[in-house]
């Protein structure tokens, strides 16, 4: 079978959607209502199980690069084990579905349908755990960026996100000097990133308590012509915060009171004006 690891994130979403809806249709069909759910359940479960087979194969093709990341091997192993169990469970469910379809005219037909419903519900639990373990790899270990595309830009984004999250954690714990050092590192590594430049200005205000230094940087900062509403709003708030940190309360108030009409009703503007009274 060719290497299909590149498509693993796509395939697994089809697996989850097809099998959960298929089992739900089977359970509904047991009520005797909505007769269309009977064949729909059979179709979705069979297609979903086939997709699960491909998902396991694509996961095996993709895991090599992931498990080489330090500390990730055990998480990958747990995900693989549960994925194999989920695939095998739905192979059993599919077999029951095929038997029920083949013996539709027999007296034990309904027993097979109930067995499929119960087995399918249990298999969905296993599938949920497998999916959750896969989520751990992405969200707790950052096992995905750059591995599908091989694009170094993805790795740079991962590095940027890591620095940002660590800086926010340091700031939250009161370690403002460490937060500032991490943000300075971001600014040196990504000098052309507008959002990083704004973050560095914010750090001057929040971490270094240097409102005047922030005002100097804001003087040389212009929002790009195609700048988003978010960038314009954030720049305005930073200017007000910088004036306040520098001791120029009247100037901070003037910035907020002179906000464009689209921002005047924003709760953040109102809260800052309230604090400046």
């Amino acid at each position: 079978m060719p290497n299909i690891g590149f498509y693993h994130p796509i395939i697994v979403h089809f697996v989850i959607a097809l099998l959960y809806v298929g089992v739900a249709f089977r359970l509904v069909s047991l009520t005797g209502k909505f007769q269309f759910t009977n064949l729909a359940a059979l179709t979705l479960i069979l297609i979903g199980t086939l997709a699960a087979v491909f998902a396991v194969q694509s996961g095996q093709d993709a895991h090599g690069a992931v498990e080489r990341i330090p500390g990730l091997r055990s998480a990958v192993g747990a995900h693989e084990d549960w994925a194999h169990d989920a695939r095998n469970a739905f192979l059993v469910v599919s077999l029951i579905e095929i038997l029920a379809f083949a013996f539709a005219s027999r007296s034990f037909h309904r027993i097979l349908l109930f067995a499929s419903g119960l087995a399918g519900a249990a298999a969905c639990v296993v599938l949920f755990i497998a999916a959750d373990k896969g989520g751990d790899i992405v969200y707790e270990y950052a096992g995905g960026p750059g591995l599908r595309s091989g694009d170094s830009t993805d790795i740079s984004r991962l590095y940027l996100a890591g620095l940002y999250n660590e800086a926010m954690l340091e700031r939250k714990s009161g370690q403002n000097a460490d937060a500032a050092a991490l943000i300075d590192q971001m600014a040196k590594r990504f000098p052309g990133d507008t959002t990083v430049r704004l973050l560095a200005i914010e750090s001057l205000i929040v971490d270094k308590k240097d409102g005047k230094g922030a005002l100097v940087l804001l003087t040389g900062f212009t929002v790009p012509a195609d700048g988003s509403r978010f960038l314009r709003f954030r720049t305005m708030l930073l200017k007000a915060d910088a004036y306040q940190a520098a001791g120029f309360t009247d100037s901070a108030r003037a910035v907020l009171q002179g906000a464009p009409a689209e921002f005047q009703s924003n709760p953040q503007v109102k809260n800052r004006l309230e604090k400046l009274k």
Side-chain angles (χ1 to χ4, degrees), residues 75-147:
V76 172
H79 174 52
E80 285 182 342
D81 290 343
W82 281 102
H84 289 149
D85 291 343
R87 176 202 59 191
N88 294 340
F90 275 104
L91 285 171
V92 173
V93 175
S94 292
L95 177 60
I96 298 173
E97 284 285 330
I98 292 171
L99 290 173
F101 180 76
F103 297 106
S105 60
R106 301 296 183 89
S107 59
F108 53 82
H109 169 68
R110 191 157 180 78
I111 295 176
L112 288 172
L113 293 182
F114 270 98
S116 175
L118 292 174
C124 281
V125 174
V126 179
L127 178 59
F128 176 86
I129 297 174
D132 183 60
K133 297 295 182 182
D136 290 346
I137 293 173
V138 175
Y139 294 107
E140 295 181 14
Y141 294 90
L147 297 177

Side-chain angles (χ1 to χ4, degrees), residues 182-226:
L182 288 165
I183 293 172
D184 286 344
Q185 189 174 345
M186 292 169 59
K188 291 177 182 178
R189 179 65 177 79
F190 304 95
D193 190 309
T194 300
T195 56
V196 171
R197 292 176 63 191
L198 289 176
L199 190 63
I201 294 171
E202 178 191 74
S203 183
L204 277 173
I205 300 168
V206 177
D207 300 316
K208 299 180 180 180
K209 313 302 180 186
D210 184 6
K212 292 182 179 179
L215 286 172
V216 171
L217 291 183
L218 282 167
T219 301
F221 179 85
T222 55
V223 178
D226 58 347

